[in-house]
């Protein structure tokens, strides 16, 4: 099967996405008929000339097309994909597990009049058909979908497994393309980056305190952030907390935010909606603290305390600080 | 400025968390029996459109907001509520075809609405629904209409010149862009975007207004044309079991519960971090 991966290197965290894609390829080596993720061919979009050499160094694929853009916009990427791949497409394209990956997979497939599936966790071949699996109904159900028309375009689910990747520079065949002069009057007349995504705050977090709507207000969440710092934990929040603007978006845990895998996840006043649980389900130990014993997270946690989270965290803080 | 906000009514799946699901013919039966809500991302889209209209009005720019859903009569209560919040027109696409897991058909219907009842300047829609989780309809609508789109929208402002300042968050970071319509704005996790609550007076006024009902004949589309758009095809649906031990830590006081938690389960783990 001829397959290619599409990477948006305009993102500061693109290497994390590359590691997810490589783990996905390695998990499907038989299906893709490759020995290693390095055998994949990659189309990589980037926007800054100064990272060109860094990209060439870090990307772990034998065949790479490095495609320069003015800045990240889906339109020039789709245009370039159509031009570079339209005549002789691969059988399957793997896009990254982020918003850009979702959009590009769906829109490129639409232009190729082919099948697309977003947030895929697993691929399989059954009776000659390509089947992709993904969570639906907010993570309650797993759906299997039969891809009908090639080239199949899929984006990965958020927070998939990652592997460390490397490939010596001399083993790479790199071709350069320039689409930075692409001109489309429909794309935004002004574009300003307000803040860059920093290295994900949860990447190395081993202890996460997750806070839900039950915290009550912005001040309570701010207080819990201070306690988290004191305990050496990262603070994460559920979607209602972000929606109420009690915490910034980069602290969101869940299907549309950060998917975390710490040793300990202490969930305070979180009801545990399915999209939130998707974000913490890889935690080794989940402790739910809630006054509501019927809260969904109570059934999905390893340990449960039914009590006021404020009292529990204060007491826990005292014990941890005392023992340090 | 004319704005179309397609939205979806979904089951409140939070109410089904941890329950056993019954699946028949690759469709879950359970969501039919729980309370319905506006899909959370669509709710944000609907409120952001109202905020945009507020902002445009401040600058003397007229706006016309259309809400559109593809649903049965059960959606009419929601549509009336939207009229009460400030929507000028609420339309319901009464479609007898099962469009579950068929985002291409939904995009085609939105594009058909746009063509028949346009011109519109903006389509504002949520990035995905909480049931099907296709996360494709906005992008397929972009391809159907040929309009550019921006995803991960968290907010926007109308400007005096008719251009719009748009804020979005994606893997790159937070980005501000100035766009000239037409555009599709795909709303993500937008803070402070819960749908406003209409006044009692507005609710009474809205109750007397008509909901626009449209169907496939309105657009000369046949059910077969929609059914052939299913790709990829859902072939299996199984429940995911996320349950864990749920060991209850009990004690006469909070202090003792915490002490038990710390000594037995946390102390060793924390010291090895």
């Amino acid at each position: 099967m001829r397959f290619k991966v599409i990477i948006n290197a305009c993102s500061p965290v693109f290497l994390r996405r590359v590691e997810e894609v490589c783990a996905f390829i390695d998990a499907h080596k038989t299906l893709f008929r490759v020995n290693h993720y390095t055998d994949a061919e990659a189309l990589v979009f980037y926007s800054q000339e100064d990272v060109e050499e860094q990209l060439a160094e870090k990307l772990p694929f034998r065949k790479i097309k490095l495609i320069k853009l003015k800045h990240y916009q889906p339109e020039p990427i789709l245009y370039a994909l159509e031009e570079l791949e339209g005549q002789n497409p691969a059988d399957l394209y793997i896009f990254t597990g982020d918003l850009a990956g979702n959009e590009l997979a769906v829109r490129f497939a639409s232009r190729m009049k082919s099948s697309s599936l977003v947030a895929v966790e697993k691929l399989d071949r059954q009776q000659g058909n390509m089947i992709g699996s993904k969570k639906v109904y907010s993570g309650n159900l797993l759906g299997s979908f039969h891809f009908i028309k090639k080239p199949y375009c899929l984006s990965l689910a958020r927070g998939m497994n990652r592997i460390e990747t490397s490939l010596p520079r001399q083993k790479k065949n790199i071709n350069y393309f320039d689409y930075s002069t692409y001109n489309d009057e429909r794309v935004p007349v002004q574009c300003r980056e307000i803040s860059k995504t920093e290295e994900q705050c949860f990447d190395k977090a081993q202890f996460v305190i997750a806070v839900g709507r039950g915290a009550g207000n912005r001040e309570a969440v701010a207080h819990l952030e201070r306690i988290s710092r004191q305990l050496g934990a990262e603070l994460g929040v559920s979607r209602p907390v972000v929606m109420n603007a009690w915490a910034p978006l980069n602290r969101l845990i869940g299907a549309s935010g950060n998917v975390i895998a710490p040793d300990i996840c202490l969930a305070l006043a979180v009801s545990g909606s399915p999209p939130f649980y998707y974000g913490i389900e890889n935690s080794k130990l989940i402790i739910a603290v809630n006054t509501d014993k019927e809260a969904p997270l109570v059934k999905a946690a390893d340990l449960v305390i039914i009590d006021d989270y404020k009292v529990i965290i204060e007491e826990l803080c005292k014990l941890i600080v005392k023992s340090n | 400025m004319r704005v179309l906000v397609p939205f979806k009514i979904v089951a409140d799946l939070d109410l089904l968390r941890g329950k056993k699901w019954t699946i028949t013919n690759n469709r879950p039966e359970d969501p039919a029996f729980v309370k319905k809500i506006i899909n959370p991302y669509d709710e944000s889209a609907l409120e952001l459109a109202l905020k945009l209209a507020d902002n445009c009005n401040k600058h003397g720019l007229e706006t016309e907001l259309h809400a559109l859903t593809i649903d049965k009569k059960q959606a009419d209560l929601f549509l009336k509520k939207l009229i009460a919040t400030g929507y000028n027109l609420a339309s319901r696409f009464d479609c007898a075809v099962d469009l579950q897991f068929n985002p291409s058909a939904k995009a085609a219907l939105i594009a058909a609405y746009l063509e028949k009842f346009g011109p519109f300047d903006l389509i504002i829609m949520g990035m995905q629904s909480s049931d099907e989780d296709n996360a494709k309809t906005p992008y397929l609508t972009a391809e159907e209409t040929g309009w550019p789109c921006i995803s991960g929208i968290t907010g926007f402002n109308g400007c005096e010149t008719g251009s719009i300042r748009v804020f979005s968050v994606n893997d790159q970071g937070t980005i501000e862009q100035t766009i000239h319509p037409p555009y599709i704005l795909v709303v993500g996790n937008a803070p402070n975007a819960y749908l406003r609550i209409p006044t009692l007076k507005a609710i009474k006024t809205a109750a007397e207004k008509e909901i626009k009902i449209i169907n496939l004949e309105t657009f000369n589309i046949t059910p077969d044309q929609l059914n052939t758009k299913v790709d990829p095809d859902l072939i299996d649906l199984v429940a995911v079991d996320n349950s864990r031990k749920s060991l209850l830590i009990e004690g006469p006081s909070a202090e003792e519960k915490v002490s038990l938690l710390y000594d037995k389960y946390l102390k060793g783990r924390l010291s090895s971090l």
Side-chain angles (χ1 to χ4, degrees):
Chain A
M1 166 179 283
R2 282 184 67 227
F3 73 101
K4 296 185 182 182
V5 300
I6 312 294
I7 306 291
N8 166 28
C10 303
S11 158
V13 291
F14 78 93
L15 278 174
R16 178 193 175 96
R17 304 291 173 228
V18 168
E19 288 168 1
E20 290 170 355
V21 167
C22 290
F24 185 83
I25 294 168
D26 268 11
H28 293 82
K29 280 189 284 197
T30 313
L31 183 76
F32 293 144
R33 293 182 188 159
V34 293
N35 296 319
H36 200 238
Y37 61 79
T38 52
D39 295 335
E41 191 173 337
L43 283 85
V44 181
F45 293 88
Y46 70 102
S47 60
Q48 297 169 49
E49 277 183 77
D50 55 348
V51 296
E52 212 167 78
E53 261 317 296
Q54 191 194 342
L55 283 171
E57 195 63 45
K58 290 190 173 174
L59 289 164
F61 306 108
R62 289 183 199 281
K63 282 187 186 172
I64 300 169
K65 283 178 181 166
L66 270 183
I67 303 156
K68 188 165 124 186
L69 306 169
K70 193 172 171 190
H71 50 78
Y72 173 78
Q73 284 292 338
E75 307 299 337
I77 293 180
L78 290 163
Y79 178 80
L81 283 176
E82 272 188 287
E83 202 166 83
L84 296 171
E85 298 295 307
Q87 294 303 314
N88 184 23
D91 299 312
L92 182 139
Y93 291 89
I94 302 171
F95 294 76
T96 49
D98 53 13
L99 268 183
N102 292 350
E103 175 172 357
L104 295 170
V106 173
R107 296 183 67 184
F108 180 55
S110 176
R111 292 183 187 195
M112 300 298 287
K113 305 205 181 312
S114 68
S115 302
S116 64
L117 194 61
V118 163
V120 172
E121 293 185 356
K122 198 179 155 210
L123 274 180
D124 202 3
R125 191 175 277 285
Q126 293 172 12
Q127 296 166 341
N129 297 322
M130 183 65 78
I131 310 295
S133 302
K134 64 169 286 188
K135 296 255 175 64
V136 293
Y137 285 90
S138 288
N140 285 294
L141 305 176
L142 184 73
S144 298
F145 294 82
H146 166 210
F147 287 95
I148 297 171
K149 296 175 208 130
K150 284 184 184 176
Y152 312 138
C153 297
L154 62 92
S155 67
L156 300 187
R158 284 183 87 90
M160 296 279 280
N161 288 338
R162 294 156 62 190
I163 50 171
E164 280 192 29
T165 59
S166 67
L167 183 68
R169 176 72 172 82
Q170 63 273 21
K171 291 193 174 176
K172 298 174 195 172
N173 173 10
I174 301 178
N175 289 301
Y176 294 86
F177 298 85
D178 190 349
Y179 283 80
S180 61
T181 55
Y182 171 85
N183 195 14
D184 184 340
E185 59 184 24
R186 300 173 308 162
V187 301
V189 291
Q190 279 176 32
C191 186
R192 184 171 72 92
E193 208 168 75
I194 296 175
S195 66
K196 220 181 208 13
T197 300
E198 293 165 13
E199 190 56 32
Q200 308 276 321
C201 42
F202 295 105
D203 263 10
K204 290 170 186 154
Q206 293 171 304
F207 181 18
V208 171
I209 294 179
V211 182
R213 191 198 331 233
N217 55 48
R218 185 197 295 257
E219 290 70 33
V221 175
H223 178 60
L224 287 168
E225 190 187 1
R226 286 192 291 275
I227 288 181
S228 301
R229 271 205 303 272
Q230 196 180 352
L231 301 182
E234 286 290 342
L235 182 84
V237 299
S238 67
R239 188 168 185 267
V241 174
V242 167
M243 289 289 289
N244 282 310
W246 297 343
L249 192 51
N250 67 345
R251 292 281 154 186
L252 175 66
I253 293 175
S256 61
N258 295 283
V259 178
I260 62 172
D263 288 316
I264 305 165
C265 175
L266 176 62
L268 306 174
V270 189
S271 70
S273 67
F276 173 81
Y277 189 74
Y278 183 89
I280 66 164
E281 69 181 337
N282 296 327
S283 306
K284 288 192 184 117
L285 179 74
I286 299 174
I287 306 162
V289 179
N290 209 307
T291 49
D292 178 9
K293 63 180 180 190
E294 298 300 322
L297 190 60
V298 166
K299 285 177 190 158
D302 298 290
L303 302 170
V304 178
I305 294 181
I306 302 299
D307 215 317
D308 181 354
Y309 85 88
K310 287 180 195 153
V311 183
I312 299 296
I313 192 67
E314 293 298 340
E315 289 297 327
L316 187 61
C317 197
K318 278 185 215 165
L319 279 179
I320 295 175
V321 170
K322 195 172 143 190
S323 72
N324 287 340
Chain B
M1 185 175 297
R2 295 185 86 222
V3 181
L4 175 64
V5 188
F7 72 100
K8 188 176 178 192
I9 309 292
V10 295
D12 185 352
L13 296 179
D14 282 6
L15 302 175
L16 290 171
R17 180 81 181 95
K19 304 271 190 308
K20 199 176 173 207
W21 287 60
T22 308
I23 298 160
T24 309
N25 297 328
N26 284 335
R27 293 287 184 273
E29 292 180 9
D30 318 73
F33 303 107
V34 297
K35 188 184 79 170
K36 301 291 182 289
I37 56 171
I38 294 176
N39 176 48
Y41 290 112
D42 296 344
E43 180 185 352
S44 298
L46 287 159
E47 175 59 25
L48 287 183
L50 287 165
K51 284 183 175 170
L52 179 70
D54 293 343
N55 208 293
C56 285
N57 291 343
K58 271 187 212 160
H59 290 100
L61 276 177
E62 274 191 26
T63 49
E64 189 179 310
L65 301 182
H66 285 222
L68 169 69
T69 193
I70 305 169
D71 210 326
K72 300 192 175 66
K73 200 169 169 49
Q74 62 164 5
D76 288 0
L77 272 177
F78 292 92
L79 289 161
K80 291 270 183 187
K81 183 182 171 188
L82 290 173
I83 293 172
T85 58
Y87 275 78
N88 303 88
L89 188 74
S91 302
R92 177 163 64 82
F93 210 124
D94 201 346
C95 180
V97 183
D98 176 12
L99 296 183
Q100 287 262 306
F101 299 106
N102 190 352
S104 300
K106 287 174 202 156
L109 294 181
I110 294 168
Y113 185 93
L114 202 74
E115 197 176 328
K116 187 153 186 90
F117 302 108
F120 285 93
D121 300 291
L122 287 177
I123 299 176
I124 303 172
M125 55 204 300
M127 69 178 186
Q128 73 186 81
S129 70
S130 57
D131 47 10
E132 296 165 61
D133 284 310
N134 289 313
K136 289 171 67 172
T137 309
Y139 307 131
L140 292 169
T141 306
E143 291 300 308
E144 282 276 349
T145 56
W147 289 15
C149 77
I150 296 177
S151 52
I153 295 289
T154 55
F156 37 77
N157 283 320
C159 302
E160 289 175 45
T161 55
S163 61
I164 299 164
R165 207 160 57 244
V166 174
F167 301 89
S168 61
V169 175
N170 57 25
D171 244 17
Q172 252 176 290
T174 305
I175 297 163
E176 177 187 337
Q177 299 177 81
T178 303
I179 57 161
H180 288 300
Y183 245 91
I184 295 177
L185 302 175
V186 187
V187 176
N189 294 304
N192 289 324
Y194 287 119
L195 188 62
R196 62 191 62 182
I197 297 165
T199 62
L200 196 58
K201 190 180 166 192
I203 291 170
K204 282 182 180 168
T205 312
E208 290 161 14
K209 290 201 176 169
E210 291 267 313
I211 288 165
K212 188 185 186 78
I213 309 291
I214 45 181
N215 51 37
L216 293 183
E217 288 80 55
T218 316
F219 304 108
N220 287 326
I221 297 174
T222 64
D224 281 351
Q225 283 173 303
L226 296 180
N227 285 327
T228 53
K229 288 184 176 289
V230 180
D231 184 10
D233 194 13
L234 178 70
I235 56 164
D236 193 25
L237 204 55
V238 291
V240 175
D241 182 12
N242 289 322
S243 59
R244 294 195 183 204
K245 282 181 197 161
S246 263
L247 187 66
L248 187 64
I249 296 177
E250 293 178 289
S253 67
E255 195 178 354
E256 286 187 54
K257 289 179 199 172
V258 172
S259 182
L260 182 60
L261 170 72
Y262 181 71
D263 289 337
K264 198 166 176 187
Y265 301 102
L266 284 184
K267 199 173 178 181
R269 287 172 188 268
L270 285 171
S271 62
S272 65
L273 295 183

